[in-house]
Amino acid sequence: MYIKKQRLLTPGPTPLLPQALHAMMGSDIHHRTEDFRKIYRAVLADLKEVMGTSNDVLALVASGTGAMEASVSNLFSPGDRVIVCSAGKFGERWAEIAKAFGLDVILLQEEYGRSVSAQRVADALKTEANVRGVFVQGSETSTGAAHDVRAMGQAVQKTDAIFIVDAITGLGTMPLDIDGWGLDVVIGGSQKSFMIPPGLAFLSISPKAWGFAETAKLPRYYFNLKKEKKNAANGESSWTPATSLLLALAEALKYVKALGMDKLVANAEMLASATRAAVTTLGLELFSPGCPSSSVTAVKAPKGMDSGVIVKEYRSRFGSVIANGQGSMKGQIFRIAHLGYFDFPDLFAVIAELEIILTANGFPVKFGSGVAAVQNAYAEVALAKEAAAV
Ligand SMILES: *Cc1c(COP(=O)(O)O)cnc(C)c1O
């Protein structure tokens, strides 16, 4: 017997920031009081600051999917034509939500492991008439692929359509110039880069998107963005808020502001790049080599091995929880996350564990070779900088 610390290393929920977790103990306050209004106002202002936008930012009590649904039900009318970019399970979710609400979906689909090109979106906007909205994932968490939302935003900006970006794992892992790139709605979730438990979703809404809210006829009740905006201006939420999560978020946003959102993104990019180097050194293949996101790296299991064995052994041997593939990718890939509160020591451990698991299952690797790739990546970014500074 030996000690196995439980480590939550999935691309959501992600590792929790300790001071955010501790802040949740202070939730014995009432939400219709000045004490709470102060916190709520500060959280919304800080969210806006770290998202780097002049657009309104609202919070909802829901997992990320709630904000996805809200953006459909609050901004569109039955039969509206929309383009959905789909390259994975979350792209499929966009299509399912849009269809559930009676929108007319033009599907731009790509194989798992690839991304929909901005050119395809630009072409579809030219050939299809009366497109009212374009939906995409900044980072498609199921495959570890990223979309070029900058180029897509530029294409959508020239039209009367609005651009809705599920950035639930994009925020904090990729640069997102919301105002500059024409990202009309940008959606985030608490359990991803924001280092706190699941249960809060948030979204930024541009003036162009608010214009859509004026005429949108789809039914809605709980997720009512106009009502939420009105209440937020008074420091309140429409319904009972998730007080404990907001207290946690207040702490997490303090941390992210002190670090800098650009540094949070750079941290994810560094870890993602080091992970790619490490797993390819170990002879494994990346699942989305052409368009890798920095939120999560999807890796193919060695031929003849079920990725579920890798996931299971992370847990049984070391107490580490990592993600399997979803849907038809289950058993094919495993996913190493980098979003939010992840650091180099986490990655040293994840790769060292992987070397042992592969070796134990008939795929022997040279111990330390993958870890050395991560150490070299650290040396390149950090040691080189220190040498340059002296
Ligand atoms: C996690 C995630 C979601 C939202 O999932 P919830 O379970 O509703 O929080 C949506 N899109 C992407 C890309 C995600 O990673």
Side-chain angles (χ1 to χ4, degrees):
M1 238 344 251
Y2 47 91
I3 292 175
K4 294 177 255 182
K5 290 190 190 177
Q6 182 169 312
R7 289 184 171 84
L8 184 55
L9 303 170
T10 57
T14 60
L16 302 175
L17 184 74
Q19 58 269 42
L21 188 59
H22 301 155
M24 296 176 77
M25 296 289 289
S27 52
D28 53 346
I29 55 172
H30 194 275
H31 56 284
R32 305 296 180 210
T33 61
E34 206 43 45
D35 286 346
F36 178 81
R37 287 184 201 104
K38 217 173 111 200
I39 293 159
Y40 200 60
R41 283 202 178 93
V43 163
L44 292 179
D46 286 349
L47 269 176
K48 196 172 152 105
E49 185 177 331
V50 303
M51 288 171 77
T53 179
S54 61
N55 292 341
D56 291 316
V57 174
L58 300 175
L60 303 172
V61 180
S63 76
T65 307
M68 293 172 75
E69 174 167 325
S71 70
V72 171
S73 65
N74 281 261
L75 304 176
F76 295 94
S77 299
D80 275 355
R81 301 197 83 205
V82 296
I83 292 172
V84 172
C85 303
S86 176
K89 299 309 288 179
F90 292 103
E92 289 162 21
R93 188 170 300 178
W94 266 143
E96 284 165 11
I97 297 170
K99 284 177 189 163
F101 280 88
L103 301 191
D104 179 9
V105 173
I106 304 157
L107 193 63
L108 304 185
Q109 202 163 12
E110 267 297 349
E111 252 175 72
Y112 293 165
R114 302 172 66 93
S115 59
V116 178
S117 74
Q119 190 58 49
R120 269 187 82 189
V121 173
D123 291 346
L125 283 166
K126 284 199 184 100
T127 54
E128 302 285 350
N130 304 321
V131 173
R132 301 268 298 154
V134 177
F135 294 84
V136 76
Q137 269 66 38
S139 147
E140 173 51 77
T141 319
S142 67
T143 66
H147 279 110
D148 185 352
V149 292
R150 177 185 196 158
M152 287 181 184
Q154 280 160 354
V156 182
Q157 219 170 6
K158 293 183 202 136
T159 71
D160 293 331
I162 51 171
F163 189 32
I164 296 132
V165 181
D166 164 1
I168 293 174
T169 56
L171 277 167
T173 67
M174 64 199 291
L176 289 170
D177 181 355
I178 295 176
D179 300 5
W181 299 351
L183 315 182
D184 294 300
V185 176
V186 173
I187 299 170
S190 58
Q191 81 275 31
K192 309 290 172 106
S193 289
F194 291 88
M195 314 173 180
I196 68 167
L200 286 179
F202 21 89
L203 66 176
S204 66
I205 303 152
S206 72
K208 188 178 178 185
W210 280 126
F212 277 55
E214 288 308 316
T215 56
K217 291 195 178 55
L218 279 171
R220 69 196 75 100
Y221 188 81
Y222 183 73
F223 298 127
N224 184 327
L225 297 179
K226 277 167 71 178
K227 184 181 172 82
E228 212 58 67
K229 178 184 175 173
K230 213 168 110 194
N231 287 315
N234 297 320
E236 295 200 7
S237 54
S238 297
W239 324 113
T240 307
T243 309
S244 58
L245 290 171
L246 287 161
L247 292 169
L249 187 57
E251 281 305 311
L253 289 169
K254 259 186 227 163
Y255 179 81
V256 172
K257 282 200 329 182
L259 179 73
M261 191 64 160
D262 55 331
K263 298 287 192 307
L264 183 65
V265 170
N267 182 73
E269 289 174 338
M270 266 183 330
L271 294 177
S273 161
T275 301
R276 294 193 292 271
V279 296
T280 50
T281 298
L282 294 174
L284 300 178
E285 260 183 82
L286 299 170
F287 188 63
S288 311
C291 47
S293 101
S294 298
S295 63
V296 60
T297 300
V299 186
K300 290 191 198 171
K303 272 201 183 60
M305 187 176 182
D306 188 308
S307 66
V309 172
I310 297 175
V311 173
K312 216 165 124 193
E313 290 203 10
Y314 261 104
R315 173 107 202 203
S316 61
R317 289 180 185 278
F318 304 108
S320 298
V321 183
I322 68 153
N324 200 331
Q326 295 167 259
S328 64
M329 292 169 279
K330 192 166 180 192
Q332 313 292 312
I333 61 171
F334 60 99
R335 293 175 294 150
I336 300 174
H338 327 291
L339 69 174
Y341 198 53
F342 278 92
D343 64 5
F344 268 100
D346 287 329
L347 190 54
F348 294 146
V350 164
I351 300 299
E353 291 168 50
L354 179 60
E355 291 177 358
I356 290 168
I357 292 165
L358 290 173
T359 301
N361 285 279
F363 297 91
V365 298
K366 187 169 180 300
F367 282 167
S369 58
V371 176
V374 181
Q375 289 172 313
N376 281 322
Y378 178 85
E380 256 170 59
V381 292
L383 297 185
K385 217 180 264 168
E386 288 161 28
V390 290

